[in-house]
Amino acid sequence: MNIIPGDGMRKCYFDYVATNPLHPEVLNTMMPYFKEEFGNPLSIYEPGQRAKKAIEEAREQVASMINARPSTIIFTSSGAEANSFALKGMAIAKQNQGNHVIVSRVEHHSILSSARFLEKSGFVVTYLPVDKYGFVDPEAVKDSITKETIVISIIHASSEIGTIEPIKEIAIVAQERNITMHTDAVATTGNIPIDVKDLGVDLLSMAAHQFYGPKGAGALYVKRGVRIVPLICGGIQEGGRRAGTENVPAIVGMGKAAEIAKSGMSRRIEHCKKLRDKIIEGVLKIPNVHLTGHHGNRLPHHASFVVEFIEGEAMLLMLSMKGIYSASGSACTSKALKSSPVLLSIGIPTALAQGSIVFSLGMSNTEEEVDYFLEEFPRIINRLREMSPFMKKKEGGSKCYTGG
Amino acid sequence: MKFVDDIKADVTADIVYMMCPMHILKLDEMVKGLENGQVLNILTDYDGALEDIPQWCERTGNEFIGMKETENFYEFYVRKT
């Protein structure tokens, strides 16, 4: 299904981890709050109270998607805000109990940068290594805990390599030692079933545009009884924990998107998994291409690879000329033309990490699009390799990467 | 300020780190839910509560029993009357 307007050429949008298109029903639900329903939820007169009611309904919808109480959901402007809020807010709230924070090396920049900020403020941070699939070992978490440890934050699934982390096992380790456990579930929420009670986490970050909701809407789940220092100070919005007049249309949209994600999740997973597996199978037939992340235990809509002797950016450009839109590592890393820390942390050499490419799928994608892509991609790789100085070196006898 | 110890509260509201004026809104909301004679305990880190909570009690006719300081927080005790 062509979701991108243009010159009539076929367009295959394979970058759902960058963002999703808005679900039409979500847009319809949001529209009145851009127009006549413009009231401020704090106003005591009727239009204000209607906006307030709409936000509270969205809170119930988001809570229901992750099996939480509505009062535990704090709306934010993004997943990055939720992550920064969680890490900084918890570390500061618990600074009298200790100064040690544990994160993994496959975290999103919003966690890594917040961790660095905390380091500069006097906290001590452990960056846990991962194995070649990107898994954090719960035993390694246990071993890195000191009597000063106050917060552990591990990503639920990295959008660069797709591996789903053993959060439940890590949360048990944290719980046993009375350490606050946060997970960045931006890539997973709305895409795989999440039950915060089953996961056992104290805090969980999410973003609406990862499940066909609007940009500018995120949320942080904070378990009842957990004290957190606000990131944005001011008024009593969000129970006095996140100030700023609420982005009512975005919040309403997030609620609707959560409701749709919950009811349609198994259908979505089935649809994406089928296409994902077809891409993985097809791409791995190309010589000297390796899957990154774990084969089975990964996001259902995510296929990521490293291609030897080619730069990711070149592949992206050639693919986009064929109307195929994908990504090379995370959006920020790709822009900075730097090797992804996530890929380096799973043991991929710097040179090979340049050849990273990520395809992520959604409901608009079809089998026919995947067929078209699988026809074009090997040709593009061949053409680029013909031009590649690295390839010539390889033919001269240098060693190939063998994936571990 | 009246300092107290060993007060038994019927209900506790933990609003530590929540921004002003959550202490007043929560106080109002929680006291509404109490029976006459029941005691509410409010935990907060907000300095403004030192003035606001006794004043609120005076204005609304509820009894301000007193406060104590624990860890880095204040605990206020209010009896619904």
Side-chain angles (χ1 to χ4, degrees), chain A residues 32-41 43 45 47-48 50-51 245 248-249:
Chain A
Y33 298 92
F34 283 117
K35 299 194 304 195
E36 63 276 13
E37 295 293 347
F38 62 88
N40 184 323
S43 303
Y45 43 78
R50 281 203 301 270
T245 299
V248 181

Side-chain angles (χ1 to χ4, degrees), chain A residues 20-43:
Chain A
N20 290 190
L22 202 58
H23 192 290
E25 255 183 79
V26 172
L27 179 63
N28 287 341
T29 314
M30 290 167 72
M31 280 318 278
Y33 298 92
F34 283 117
K35 299 194 304 195
E36 63 276 13
E37 295 293 347
F38 62 88
N40 184 323
L42 280 187
S43 303

Side-chain angles (χ1 to χ4, degrees), chain A residues 93 96 227-230 232-236 239-243, chain B residues 14-23 25 43 45 71-73:
Chain A
N96 290 333
R227 293 169 179 162
I228 184 161
V229 172
I232 301 178
C233 298
I236 54 163
R241 291 180 295 184
R242 198 273 186 186
Chain B
D14 180 346
I15 53 159
V16 169
Y17 303 136
M18 292 180 195
M19 283 173 284
C20 171
M22 279 307 286
H23 58 296
L25 296 183
L43 259 90
D45 60 316
E71 298 170 60
N72 297 302
F73 313 127

Side-chain angles (χ1 to χ4, degrees), chain A residues 234-241, chain B residues 1 12-32 40-57 59-60 62 64 73-78:
Chain A
I236 54 163
Q237 293 88 359
E238 299 304 299
R241 291 180 295 184
Chain B
M1 181 55 72
T12 296
D14 180 346
I15 53 159
V16 169
Y17 303 136
M18 292 180 195
M19 283 173 284
C20 171
M22 279 307 286
H23 58 296
I24 294 299
L25 296 183
K26 207 73 182 167
L27 184 61
D28 199 59
E29 177 197 321
M30 300 293 281
V31 168
K32 270 187 191 140
L40 170 71
N41 166 221
I42 282 205
L43 259 90
T44 178
D45 60 316
Y46 180 59
D47 298 332
L50 291 164
E51 263 182 39
D52 294 351
I53 292 182
Q55 264 178 26
W56 180 90
C57 290
R59 191 162 49 81
T60 57
N62 289 287
F64 178 70
F73 313 127
Y74 307 113
E75 290 195 38
F76 295 91
Y77 293 91
V78 173

